[in-house]
Amino acid sequence: MRFSSLLSCAALALASCSNGLNILMSNDDGFGSGNLRELYKMLRADGHNVYIVAPATQQSSQGGRSVFTDEPMLTTNSIYDLVKAGAPSLGTDPIDTHIWYYNGTPAACVFVGLDYVLPNFADFSVPDLVVTGPNFGTNLGPFVWTLSGTAGAAYAATGRGIPAIALSGSNNAVPYFAVRNESSPAYQVASVAYRVVQSIINSVPISVLKRDVGETRTILPLGYGLNVNIPPLFADNYTTIPVVHTRMTGDADTNKAVPNPDIPGTFTWANIEPLAPGVNACINGNCTLPGETYVVNTLGLVSLSLYTVDYTAPESEETEEVVQWFTHGNVFTTSVKAPLIYKHSRRFTA
């Protein structure tokens, strides 16, 4: 499926506020994030039914780790001291019962949201969409994607069959209570993120969005999600900055270990130069698409990359060659046909 077919608003009926979605939000920067709260307010103002379940503390670089706390109470204050030590490890924000914190990793927060908070405290059990971020800092390229807690929260949802959008900005961390006007970078990042999310929702046929009560609305094909990265923004461009269809590979960075000059005898990371070939190999999909790192860092535009949970079994001449090696070398000792359920997993369940 070409991505343009998902975002062609001119050819598809638009969703209205009366078709507001049930949305679960999370992140890795904590439930007090200015980026997260600003986007939350915008989505709610547009008629969506939104709940947040996000980490009680900073949980960046957790990737898809699903770690649940062993402590029933917080042992330290939450991020920005919004909740004090001794409070339950799962609870609501002091001023908004739609906003929950949990003392776990981002993926764990999504699971707690899906399996406990929403079924017990929301008026829906399964969200139509999971939105993670916007993150403080971009998550560009396949290597960083595997490290990002914001990404991990998104693909945790995608693996459960729920469409997800991971959003990342280029601004510095700021608590929600410090965002006071539209000149704030957090407001501007959230505005771009809102425009992208809402345009995606608006691109879906109205027949898909109009579901009977209790049915989940599928705004992306099963197993699909989106990675959106936003460059540094300015007052004169954040309302109109273009969005580009990209892929994760291409001009992407990966790390190497280097001695830490600040602490002798230890190491830290640096980007490999020149760029590493493995993280930039185009194996699947459209190799003419620009890499998201190039689009964001060089062109200063918003990137939007599709991802799928099925990143195995690529089809290419190289794959066929490797399979022939393994077959002739008796690496494969038998074959098994996939169950029917797997064969139908590509279907767009509209």
Side-chain angles (χ1 to χ4, degrees):
M1 177 183 294
R2 290 184 58 84
F3 184 63
S4 58
S5 67
L6 293 177
L7 294 186
S8 180
C9 292
L12 300 173
L14 299 183
S16 66
C17 289
S18 62
N19 290 302
L21 300 185
N22 296 320
I23 298 174
L24 173 64
M25 296 186 69
S26 192
N27 70 353
D28 66 9
D29 295 310
F31 76 111
S33 156
N35 285 6
L36 178 75
R37 298 284 189 107
E38 288 299 303
L39 179 57
Y40 166 78
K41 291 192 297 184
M42 293 174 189
L43 291 171
R44 290 198 70 182
D46 203 47
H48 301 294
N49 189 12
V50 189
Y51 277 76
I52 290 175
V53 182
T57 59
Q58 172 60 248
Q59 293 286 320
S60 291
S61 301
Q62 293 287 354
R65 297 176 70 230
S66 182
V67 180
F68 301 91
T69 182
D70 294 327
E71 300 288 343
M73 303 295 179
L74 296 179
T75 57
T76 61
N77 290 353
S78 75
I79 193 166
Y80 306 128
D81 296 327
L82 296 174
V83 180
K84 302 300 182 181
S89 289
L90 171 68
T92 58
D93 180 79
I95 61 174
D96 190 336
T97 57
H98 275 231
I99 299 175
W100 289 68
Y101 67 86
Y102 175 63
N103 190 22
T105 60
C109 288
V110 168
F111 295 143
V112 169
L114 293 176
D115 300 319
Y116 181 77
V117 172
L118 297 184
N120 290 286
F121 298 96
D123 55 357
F124 62 95
S125 294
V126 180
D128 303 309
L129 176 67
V130 169
V131 175
T132 64
N135 192 65
F136 296 129
T138 55
N139 287 303
L140 295 164
F143 172 69
V144 178
W145 172 254
T146 65
L147 302 181
S148 166
T150 295
Y155 57 73
T158 311
R160 292 277 293 264
I162 302 168
I165 304 173
L167 300 151
S168 300
S170 295
N171 61 320
N172 294 324
V174 59
Y176 79 90
F177 49 79
V179 182
R180 297 185 173 89
N181 53 53
E182 295 182 5
S183 66
S184 168
Y187 175 86
Q188 295 174 1
V189 166
S191 296
V192 174
Y194 165 77
R195 179 162 58 90
V196 172
V197 172
Q198 195 57 40
S199 67
I200 291 167
I201 295 171
N202 286 347
S203 74
V204 181
I206 202 73
S207 60
V208 174
L209 291 178
K210 285 188 174 180
R211 289 283 191 249
D212 293 334
V213 175
E215 290 188 8
T216 300
R217 292 174 281 194
T218 304
I219 71 166
L220 289 172
L222 183 64
Y224 277 70
L226 304 173
N227 184 36
V228 177
N229 282 276
I230 301 167
L233 301 171
F234 305 95
D236 61 351
N237 81 338
Y238 80 91
T239 60
T240 59
I241 188 168
V243 179
V244 180
H245 183 192
T246 55
R247 59 182 297 117
M248 290 189 185
T249 59
D251 296 283
D253 290 310
T254 191
N255 288 173
K256 65 178 180 179
V258 296
N260 186 345
D262 299 324
I263 309 176
T266 67
F267 292 86
T268 186
W269 65 273
N271 288 328
I272 290 179
E273 295 181 356
L275 297 176
V279 77
N280 287 296
C282 181
I283 298 171
N284 292 312
N286 184 354
C287 293
T288 67
L289 291 175
E292 58 190 15
T293 306
Y294 170 74
V295 166
V296 173
N297 289 347
T298 302
L299 301 184
L301 304 177
V302 178
S303 67
L304 195 159
S305 301
L306 281 136
Y307 72 84
T308 69
V309 295
D310 184 10
Y311 44 81
T312 64
E315 291 185 351
S316 66
E317 291 182 4
E318 290 81 1
T319 302
E320 290 302 316
E321 185 176 20
V322 170
V323 169
Q324 287 182 11
W325 296 345
F326 292 172
T327 300
H328 294 154
N330 294 320
V331 175
F332 302 129
T333 57
T334 189
S335 62
V336 176
K337 290 187 177 180
L340 189 62
I341 186 173
Y342 297 151
K343 293 182 179 180
H344 286 278
S345 64
R346 291 185 180 181
R347 185 178 59 192
F348 184 18
T349 55

